[in-house]
Amino acid sequence: MAADRTGLRSPRVSDARLRRLADEARRLIIEVACRSRTAHVSSALSCVDLLVTLYFGNLRLPPRQWDRRDIFVLSKGHAALALYAILTLKRLMPRSKLLGYLQNDGTLPGHLDRTSNKGIEVSAGSLGHGFSVALGMAHGYRLRKDRRRVWSLIGDGESQEGAIWEGALFAARLGLDNFTAILDYNNLQGYGRPRQLCHYEPVLAKWRAFGWDACRIDGHDFRQIRKAFRRPPRGRPRVIVADTTKGKGVAFMENELKWHYHIVTEDLKREALSQIGGARRAP
């Protein structure tokens, strides 16, 4: 797809460039997590490849026609650092603001606040609520015959919330084919694996039973992600179940439960950065 002057169409971005952007986003997340001594780092790292592909390959964010932009809602609000890093790379958030994350006199909270920066569409953090608000927005645009697309990223632990399934019923009933949900299935939540806490497999069959167009992909394979991000079939919303690795890119964090809440120290930061391309560019 070619770029145009309006920004309403997204340029085709190579896998190599997406990889470089993803590495840069992960470095930003590690740097800021260490600076702020915040948790949820591994949750943010798992969804980076999905967000990079979306923001640099699909999402239409024309600066001169901002009211015609596509909408993305990060319902998995505890992974806010991932969205902040992507908005910084898209030049929608100044790096100085990113550095103020969870600092005294800073303006970026741990969970999303829609008033804190351009491009943050919904305040989120209470699980399941961002997804429901995004569905309402998609329904509203359809009623106004506005053709913009709405996307929402949800977590696998979040998918145990009843609000998710009420929303799934609502979207299919209304045939919201302007809506795409991305399920970041990293198979770890705060206190264990989903199958140990509240098992909801077979998840793909469940979404299909609710009337959704559903597919399952490797959430770190740009070719598969790009293919899954195509427009949903007429009259049906789409859900993409993306198998990901919590802590992706940092070996000592990958698939480790403790990193849901663990803090990045200076020593661990240096080790993490060396594993994702080194500290080639500090924020």
Side-chain angles (χ1 to χ4, degrees):
M1 183 178 288
D4 66 351
R5 292 183 177 180
T6 67
L8 287 174
R9 290 189 295 168
S10 300
R12 176 63 181 260
V13 182
S14 70
D15 287 359
R17 175 162 166 70
L18 290 176
R19 174 54 56 207
R20 288 194 296 273
L21 288 164
D23 284 348
E24 179 66 11
R26 288 191 166 97
R27 282 194 292 273
L28 287 171
I29 290 168
I30 294 296
E31 289 277 1
V32 176
C34 178
R35 184 185 179 94
S36 60
R37 299 182 63 79
T38 189
H40 299 310
V41 185
S42 59
S43 298
L45 293 175
S46 73
C47 60
V48 165
D49 297 323
L50 297 164
L51 295 187
V52 161
T53 307
L54 180 63
Y55 272 82
F56 290 89
N58 296 84
L59 208 62
R60 302 177 308 166
L61 300 170
R64 296 180 182 177
Q65 295 174 283
W66 190 247
D67 59 348
R68 296 178 63 186
R69 70 192 183 282
D70 289 337
I71 300 294
F72 171 73
V73 175
L74 180 66
S75 188
K76 177 185 154 171
H78 55 266
L81 260 182
L83 181 58
Y84 295 155
I86 297 296
L87 292 176
T88 301
L89 294 178
K90 283 292 288 186
R91 301 183 187 281
L92 291 171
M93 177 184 291
R95 283 177 179 253
S96 58
K97 177 174 279 191
L98 179 64
L99 290 175
Y101 172 76
L102 287 187
Q103 301 294 310
N104 289 336
D105 299 324
T107 57
L108 285 180
H111 284 179
L112 298 171
D113 178 344
R114 72 177 185 85
T115 66
S116 62
N117 198 82
K118 185 177 184 179
I120 297 174
E121 307 288 357
V122 172
S123 299
S126 298
L127 297 179
H129 292 184
F131 176 74
S132 302
V133 174
L135 285 172
M137 297 169 81
H139 183 42
Y141 293 138
R142 283 248 304 181
L143 291 175
R144 289 159 42 184
K145 302 189 185 306
D146 185 326
R147 290 180 55 80
R148 74 177 78 182
R149 293 180 67 180
V150 179
W151 307 70
S152 184
L153 188 140
I154 59 179
D156 49 3
E158 181 180 19
S159 297
Q160 295 162 348
E161 298 286 339
I164 295 290
W165 300 106
E166 291 176 17
L169 284 168
F170 169 82
R173 159 71 177 79
L174 296 173
L176 297 182
D177 53 12
N178 59 342
F179 186 83
T180 298
I182 307 166
L183 170 53
D184 180 11
Y185 201 143
N186 60 37
N187 199 30
L188 266 180
Q189 56 190 98
Y191 302 102
R193 301 198 181 278
R195 68 173 179 271
Q196 298 168 321
L197 302 171
C198 186
H199 196 38
Y200 53 81
E201 288 283 6
V203 66
L204 204 61
K206 284 187 169 68
W207 283 95
R208 286 174 175 159
F210 275 61
W212 286 57
D213 177 69
C215 65
R216 191 160 196 161
I217 64 168
D218 178 342
H220 303 301
D221 183 316
F222 293 120
R223 183 187 61 81
Q224 291 187 38
I225 298 170
R226 204 193 317 266
K227 184 177 179 181
F229 280 2
R230 66 189 187 279
R231 183 172 284 278
R234 187 176 181 85
R236 297 170 68 191
R238 168 173 293 143
V239 62
I240 300 162
V241 179
D243 291 307
T244 61
T245 300
K246 200 157 184 171
K248 178 68 176 177
V250 180
F252 62 83
M253 289 188 191
E254 288 189 355
N255 213 23
E256 288 288 339
L257 175 61
K258 69 178 182 181
W259 273 100
H260 191 86
Y261 293 114
H262 212 56
I263 302 299
V264 180
T265 62
E266 284 290 338
D267 288 344
L268 291 175
K269 181 189 78 171
R270 283 191 288 273
E271 185 177 351
L273 291 176
S274 72
Q275 293 180 16
I276 50 178
R280 290 178 298 195
R281 186 178 181 184

